[in-house]
Amino acid sequence: MFSTQAKTIRSGLRLLAASLLSCSATVALAQTSEVVWPSMRIGVIAPLTGPSADFGVPMLNGVKLAVDEINQAGGYLGRKLELVIKNDGADPEQGRKAALELAAQKIILAIGFCNTGVAAKSLDVFQDNKIPLIIPCATGTQLTAKYPAPESYIFRVSAKDAIQSNFVVNDIVKRGWTKVAVFADSTAYGESGLKDVTAALARHQLSPVHVARFPIGVKDVTAELKAARDAGANAVFSYSLGPESVAIAKGRKELGWKVPQVGAWALSFPAYVDVAKEAAEDTLMAQTFIVEQRGNERRAAFLNAYMHKFKLKTVPAAIPAAQAYDSTYLLLYGLFGIQSSSPSGPAIRASLENLKKVYHGAVATYDRPFSASDKDAFTENMLLMGVVKGGAVTYAHPEDAKRNLFAQRKQ
């Protein structure tokens, strides 16, 4: 099965090259068997250690899988893609240091960041050096809004918090859960999420009945949960990463307070689902990708290849893995649109803004995912509602399982 898949990928890349390259570029491609080109260096920054490694490592693995496939198919104009990997440790200062090192190493483009605060600290490094950056994981709404879109080198293949919050709020309001308590950590991620949830509630003429803020690493939020309960909350919207959301879930269980916990995609990560265990049951969250047997052919091919390469029986933190995989292919499509063996940052940016070829990815079908005025590849229609059942994330709505048989496109 895997050899068949590899042949399909190689064939697809050859067709892509033929359809996108001009006559002169096609000649260059034909000559690559005689000319030894230096590899093309792509920077990768992710939290490979520390509290966010449970989704940083899958992010890196998604990139590695795509690069292996691309290189096996001949790379870009005969040039192999070479990864320059940096560990940000989920620390903003360490992330900035890594970004500066990548810029000094003359990478042509980068894939990176899982944490909003870490990304925010480093965006100017890529912008000032005109290095296109695709963010496959971090979701803070402000990241792709920092620079005017026509000038920005910052792209994203992840659902920003603004659309996740709105999607979840719309769902819970339909269920009649209109008295929402918001629990947000004190990081840039929590701050961004709180603003977006508040704005989403306001669209329904609602406001949070209680807001709790806390530092990362908090173990006990009982006092805040009691305050939310006393305020009449009938849903708890948590905006934090795994450990803090676990504290919320376990605190609710210990209090015997049977209200739903809802949130963004981080509530599907192993650091929450596997650690909170029974307390995580029935948690609802926004998703772009749900691992189940049901699904389209491209999604199944990605999951099979990923599990085979990394010797796994399942794919933990599948969303960052799949989005990073798709990000890498979108970068390749951007390179093929340039028709040059020495692409520049501005040329790559312009090509990404005007991709000529549709990419059928693991997460979505990318038909002009970016433009000069929009650097986010996802829109709200591409989201699914996930729910924890029996220690795994599945579809909250049966109709989503049917809809997910067909890859969604940006609207």
Side-chain angles (χ1 to χ4, degrees):
M1 179 179 66
F2 299 108
S3 60
T4 301
Q5 179 182 329
K7 289 177 182 177
T8 301
I9 292 168
R10 285 195 291 272
S11 175
L13 288 176
R14 291 191 190 101
L15 289 172
L16 173 66
S19 65
L20 294 180
L21 298 177
S22 65
C23 293
S24 60
T26 303
V27 171
L29 181 61
Q31 293 174 339
T32 54
S33 61
E34 302 174 4
V35 179
V36 179
W37 293 100
S39 60
M40 302 193 73
R41 309 187 84 195
I42 298 174
V44 182
I45 300 181
L48 305 179
T49 57
S52 297
D54 68 324
F55 51 103
V57 172
M59 190 211 98
L60 173 61
N61 286 345
V63 175
K64 285 181 174 180
L65 175 60
V67 166
D68 282 356
E69 292 175 351
I70 292 165
N71 285 340
Q72 288 172 15
Y76 169 69
L77 298 183
R79 299 176 67 178
K80 298 292 186 181
L81 304 186
E82 176 189 352
L83 297 180
V84 183
I85 300 167
K86 302 291 182 180
N87 176 18
D88 64 41
D91 176 75
E93 293 300 333
Q94 187 173 331
R96 183 172 179 81
K97 180 176 180 289
L100 289 167
E101 290 172 352
L102 288 177
Q105 291 175 275
K106 305 298 182 183
I107 60 167
I108 60 166
L109 41 83
I111 302 171
F113 299 111
C114 283
N115 303 90
T116 293
V118 180
K121 187 77 173 179
S122 299
L123 294 184
D124 64 304
V125 175
F126 299 96
Q127 184 72 16
D128 293 347
N129 286 281
K130 297 182 179 180
I131 299 171
L133 167 71
I134 289 189
I135 300 171
C137 195
T139 56
T141 301
Q142 69 270 33
L143 297 179
T144 45
K146 181 172 182 178
Y147 303 104
E151 304 167 14
S152 180
Y153 283 80
I154 313 303
F155 298 79
R156 176 160 45 197
V157 183
S158 185
K160 65 184 178 181
D161 289 328
I163 65 171
Q164 290 195 63
S165 297
N166 199 60
F167 177 76
V168 174
V169 166
N170 286 344
D171 185 90
I172 64 176
V173 167
K174 288 178 182 177
R175 297 169 184 263
W177 304 338
T178 57
K179 296 181 179 181
V180 182
V182 183
F183 280 57
D185 67 35
S186 56
T187 66
Y189 174 68
E191 183 68 28
S192 173
L194 173 59
K195 290 179 180 178
D196 288 328
V197 172
T198 302
L201 288 169
R203 295 185 189 100
H204 295 273
Q205 291 76 52
L206 300 171
S207 60
V209 297
H210 179 76
V211 173
R213 303 302 305 277
F214 45 84
I216 56 173
V218 67
K219 303 294 185 183
D220 187 348
V221 291
T222 303
E224 290 288 5
L225 286 168
K226 287 180 178 178
R229 183 183 60 186
D230 292 345
N234 56 14
V236 174
F237 202 126
S238 62
Y239 238 104
S240 188
L241 299 178
E244 298 76 35
S245 289
V246 169
I248 297 168
K250 288 188 173 181
R252 287 190 303 104
K253 189 172 187 296
E254 289 171 4
L255 288 174
W257 188 31
K258 296 181 180 180
V259 295
Q261 186 164 336
V262 304
W265 70 316
L267 290 179
S268 67
F269 292 170
Y272 173 71
V273 177
D274 293 351
V275 179
K277 298 186 183 302
E278 295 85 359
E281 194 74 1
D282 296 323
T283 298
L284 294 164
M285 79 294 290
Q287 299 281 271
T288 59
F289 186 98
I290 292 177
V291 179
E292 280 200 3
Q293 291 300 318
R294 296 184 294 256
N296 61 63
E297 183 179 351
R298 184 60 175 155
R299 178 177 292 110
F302 161 74
L303 290 170
N304 287 334
Y306 189 95
M307 290 186 288
H308 177 73
K309 178 175 176 61
F310 299 107
K311 298 178 173 57
L312 299 169
K313 293 183 179 180
T314 186
V315 183
I319 294 178
Q323 289 174 177
Y325 177 87
D326 284 357
S327 296
T328 309
Y329 271 100
L330 287 172
L331 284 177
L332 179 70
Y333 276 44
L335 287 171
F336 273 129
I338 296 170
Q339 307 178 12
S340 169
S341 60
S342 299
S344 67
I348 296 170
R349 182 188 72 174
S351 181
L352 286 171
E353 292 171 347
N354 190 33
L355 291 178
K356 304 295 185 184
K357 187 77 173 178
V358 175
Y359 169 54
H360 300 278
V363 179
T365 294
Y366 301 90
D367 185 359
R368 295 188 179 275
F370 309 117
S371 69
S373 60
D374 185 3
K375 297 301 198 293
D376 278 289
F378 286 93
T379 45
E380 192 172 329
N381 67 291
M382 300 165 76
L383 299 180
L384 306 161
M385 185 62 75
V387 62
V388 178
K389 290 291 185 184
V393 177
T394 185
Y395 298 96
H397 303 297
E399 59 269 26
D400 278 353
K402 296 177 182 178
R403 183 168 67 92
N404 208 29
L405 290 171
F406 305 94
Q408 300 303 302
R409 296 178 183 234
K410 183 176 181 178
Q411 289 184 351

